[in-house]
Amino acid sequence: MSAPDLSAELPTSLSTAWELITQFVALGGRHVVLSPGSRSAPLAYVAAVAHEAGLLTLHVRIDERSAAFVALGMAKADPSRPVIVAMTSGTAVANAHPAVLEADHSGLPLIVVSADRPFELRGTGANQTTTQPGMFGCAVRWSTDIPAFAGVDGMTPADAQATRNAVNRAVAYSVGSVGGPRGPVHINVAFRDPLAPSSEQREELVRRAQRVRANGLDGGTVFVSSYPPNDASITAGQTRNTDVTHDVIDGLRTTTRTVILAGDTAPTQIIDIAERYGWPILAEPSSGVNGAAPTIAGGALILARAGHPISSVYRTLVEQVEHVIVVGHPTLSRDAIALMRRAPQLTIAPDHRVQWTDPTGTATAVIPFSVLSPHLRSATAVSTDATWLSRWQQAGSDLLTQLSEQLDAQEQFSAPGHLAPYQYVRALVASVTPQHILMVGASSVIRDIDRVAPVPACVQVYANRGLAGIDGTVSTAQGIALTSPDRHTVLVLGDLTFLHDINGLVIGPEEPPVSLTIVVLNDNGGAIFGGLEHARSGDPALLERVFATPHGARIDDLARGYGATYQRVNTPEDLGGMLTVKPAGIHVVEVVTSREERGNLDALLSQ
């Protein structure tokens, strides 16, 4: 089909929204998440009509922060397709900033479409008017400001093409098809009154949507592939040298005592490389490489025990590491960061993110994974320590066996509500199957899984690890569940993380249904601070008030008040049984745990 009908039947506000939304659909967009507002009304009318015609799926959330994280979850589940989150002007736009930052650091294709006043009203004190262009700063890959086109009698062909071109660029930059990393973009679009269609104009929108449904829509010019990777490396001194790659490969071929640190969303090709060379992988729960043969179950425990003088076997194992390769985004463990710091050779292999992960500043080479991988696959492996991988596997197995015995002993003598959360996350992970998707909250929960509950290879795990914030977690899990309706999505998180995004439970009765099980590990506060240096300040009362922040919130009343179903479980076995049934809506499962017992068990595990 050729360019859209530019008859004068629609005012410019609706014509602009039509061009923007339909071009997004033409380029493969499938989901729009919208928050209500007056200035964004043209987007709402067009998106609703497109939804009714089956061109896209519209999701409406009253809270812009929740809406942005729902869109983020959709982009996380399918990073090949960008997702639009749209909102009105003013503070509404700023509420998307946390999700934009997470998308930036995670490399996810989130498109923020913010409605704005016409240019002549900016800076005048007009209601809900602030400086929106550039609001997200360097967190977005690209941004543009579409003006409120003059007049009320439709758009010129040039205006329409300019709008479509802006969407083309937004999609291209968001998915990384112009050579840069994937990430968020921002389209700020000004709308001039009238913002609402007449009944005749509404009928015209419906007719247009039906024609697009029947005949399709020309997507125009769009970039479809990224530039080929440059066969070069960036050394720690940030100089480019094509010989560095070959030097690193030659060193790796003859340095068998290499360890791979796999952080969030690591490339799965690293498994084949590790198997080829006999290198152990120390993988975070959301790495995507858990459960593979070279992945060390209990790897986090090995690194933790290596710091204790009495744990000579584990300390010796870590001290023998000669080269560390970092893939994905490992930020979960201080022990892993310490391993990076002490490694004689440290190679960072970045992927789709805008930054590579080198918090220690000690990298000896930075080589894009797309460059490093084919070199490692084509080189001939030279083994100098055939027992390297097996020794790590045995050490991890021994530590997990010891840990299991300690957890079983504690569970045997503890009453309901007096267990540390370790028992529950262990039961939860043991109960998930390939039919489940596991979303894990930040803070203590993901660290508990990292230490005591190795994730099997069959389970897909997500987490917001770009900036590792606790905000928007419930909404992110919703986005994942909406994108994967045939799977049972389970979110496990702490009580503070749950409360931080409690508005994420609000879903209107007309919205696409969400099937989601939320497991809240409730210890009435922030347990993570008990394991940090703040706990050694010598002032328990201060720690409790300004760090642990006990809240006394009734999770049951909150869940039911927001329209979710609720159930409390008292044993790890009961929690495992809860995962066998996929709920019809949102089902909140509360587990009451003890921060005191966590502390006692932490002390035991550190011996």
Side-chain angles (χ1 to χ4, degrees):
M1 183 176 177
S2 59
D5 178 14
L6 296 175
S7 65
E9 295 174 329
L10 295 179
T12 55
S13 60
L14 287 163
S15 295
T16 303
W18 170 263
E19 300 295 343
L20 193 155
I21 294 296
T22 54
Q23 187 67 7
F24 172 71
V25 171
L27 299 179
R30 293 294 179 266
H31 293 279
V32 172
V33 187
L34 173 76
S35 289
S38 179
R39 188 57 52 172
S40 57
L43 295 167
Y45 286 115
V46 174
V49 167
H51 174 91
E52 293 166 2
L55 302 179
L56 55 77
T57 302
L58 174 64
H59 311 265
V60 180
R61 297 294 185 274
I62 63 171
D63 182 329
E64 287 84 7
R65 187 182 72 170
S66 294
F69 275 103
V70 169
L72 179 90
M74 293 174 175
K76 184 184 288 287
D78 183 5
S80 68
R81 293 183 185 272
V83 180
I84 282 179
V85 58
M87 72 286 296
T88 193
S89 60
T91 58
V93 190
N95 277 296
H97 209 151
V100 169
L101 291 173
E102 178 64 27
D104 173 28
H105 289 268
S106 296
L108 296 174
L110 180 70
I111 299 179
V112 178
V113 179
S114 57
D116 204 349
R117 262 55 175 175
F119 177 80
E120 65 269 16
L121 291 180
R122 297 181 187 177
T124 67
N127 188 38
Q128 291 187 329
T129 304
T130 187
T131 304
Q132 293 177 192
M135 179 177 286
F136 301 116
C138 61
V140 292
R141 305 292 183 266
W142 181 79
S143 63
T144 192
D145 188 23
I146 299 177
F149 297 111
V152 297
D153 295 328
M155 304 174 74
T156 68
D159 293 341
Q161 187 61 51
T163 302
R164 293 195 298 273
N165 285 345
V167 178
N168 287 344
R169 290 180 181 272
V171 170
Y173 276 98
S174 70
V175 298
S177 64
V178 292
R182 289 193 318 246
V185 299
H186 180 203
I187 300 176
N188 189 66
V189 54
F191 292 120
R192 182 174 281 110
D193 292 342
L195 303 174
S198 65
S199 58
E200 293 79 7
Q201 290 164 348
R202 161 83 179 179
E203 292 174 359
E204 170 61 17
L205 284 174
V206 171
R207 284 193 294 270
R208 291 189 181 193
Q210 291 171 344
R211 288 199 299 269
V212 171
R213 178 68 177 174
N215 303 316
L217 187 66
D218 182 7
T221 302
V222 63
F223 295 98
V224 295
S225 62
S226 62
Y227 294 125
N230 185 15
D231 189 5
S233 307
I234 305 174
T235 67
Q238 297 187 23
T239 59
R240 292 185 178 273
N241 186 340
T242 55
D243 294 330
V244 172
T245 300
H246 302 290
D247 292 343
V248 171
I249 299 302
D250 288 342
L252 286 168
R253 288 177 60 246
T254 57
T255 305
T256 302
R257 291 175 181 171
T258 294
V259 167
I260 298 169
L261 282 182
D264 183 62
T265 60
T268 56
Q269 297 92 329
I270 198 65
I271 298 172
D272 295 335
I273 293 172
E275 291 176 338
R276 175 185 178 89
Y277 289 89
W279 294 338
I281 300 176
L282 305 179
E284 293 186 0
S286 61
S287 64
V289 300
N290 297 89
T295 299
I296 307 303
L301 290 174
I302 294 175
L303 295 182
R305 288 290 180 93
H308 298 284
I310 62 173
S311 302
S312 58
V313 60
Y314 308 112
R315 187 175 69 252
T316 299
L317 196 61
V318 171
E319 288 176 348
Q320 289 178 342
V321 174
E322 298 171 334
H323 202 139
V324 173
I325 300 175
V326 174
V327 293
H329 184 51
T331 59
L332 190 59
S333 164
R334 292 185 177 186
D335 299 314
I337 302 302
L339 177 64
M340 294 172 62
R341 183 178 290 110
R342 67 159 301 278
Q345 297 289 320
L346 177 63
T347 296
I348 313 295
D351 47 11
H352 56 271
R353 292 178 175 82
V354 68
Q355 299 175 342
W356 60 73
T357 303
D358 181 22
T360 64
T362 57
T364 52
V366 178
I367 306 174
F369 185 79
S370 59
V371 175
L372 183 65
S373 176
H375 280 283
L376 286 174
R377 288 167 178 264
S378 62
T380 302
V382 178
S383 176
T384 58
D385 186 348
T387 67
W388 181 239
L389 177 58
S390 62
R391 284 192 287 146
W392 278 86
Q393 291 171 328
Q394 186 62 52
S397 176
D398 291 345
L399 278 175
L400 284 176
T401 299
Q402 297 172 22
L403 174 66
S404 180
E405 294 172 352
Q406 292 167 335
L407 291 175
D408 290 341
Q410 194 239 9
E411 183 176 343
Q412 181 179 358
F413 298 104
S414 297
H418 292 276
L419 286 175
Y422 296 136
Q423 286 89 345
Y424 289 101
V425 297
R426 188 173 57 149
L428 185 148
V429 171
S431 301
V432 291
T433 71
Q435 294 304 311
H436 292 91
I437 292 176
L438 187 60
M439 172 75 186
V440 184
S443 200
S444 295
V445 177
I446 193 168
R447 289 170 172 81
D448 293 345
I449 292 177
D450 188 43
R451 291 184 69 185
V452 309
V455 178
C458 64
V459 179
Q460 193 169 14
V461 180
Y462 293 105
N464 283 342
R465 297 303 305 168
L467 284 181
I470 67 171
D471 39 356
T473 305
V474 172
S475 299
T476 303
Q478 275 190 40
I480 293 170
L482 285 164
T483 311
S484 310
D486 296 333
R487 310 271 294 279
H488 182 179
T489 300
V490 177
L491 167 63
V492 55
L493 74 176
D495 47 311
L496 295 188
T497 306
F498 176 72
L499 294 173
H500 205 284
D501 192 25
I502 191 68
N503 273 1
L505 295 180
V506 179
I507 304 176
E510 303 300 323
E511 295 309 299
V514 178
S515 174
L516 176 66
T517 298
I518 302 177
V519 178
V520 183
L521 301 177
N522 183 9
D523 55 14
N524 193 33
I528 191 171
F529 297 104
L532 300 177
E533 59 270 22
H534 314 292
R536 299 186 290 274
S537 66
D539 190 341
L542 179 66
L543 175 73
E544 184 71 1
R545 183 186 179 198
V546 304
F547 290 102
T549 57
H551 49 80
R554 290 288 303 269
I555 302 298
D556 53 347
D557 290 342
L558 285 169
R560 295 187 180 108
Y562 277 93
T565 57
Y566 169 86
Q567 185 171 353
R568 175 172 170 174
V569 299
N570 295 312
T571 69
E573 293 75 18
D574 290 342
L575 177 60
M578 287 298 306
L579 304 184
T580 60
V581 179
K582 182 180 178 183
I586 294 182
H587 184 55
V588 176
V589 179
E590 182 182 13
V591 177
V592 177
T593 67
S594 166
R595 278 189 277 134
E596 180 181 0
E597 287 303 321
R598 171 192 284 276
N600 294 338
L601 193 55
D602 282 344
L604 181 64
L605 296 177
S606 66
Q607 295 176 2

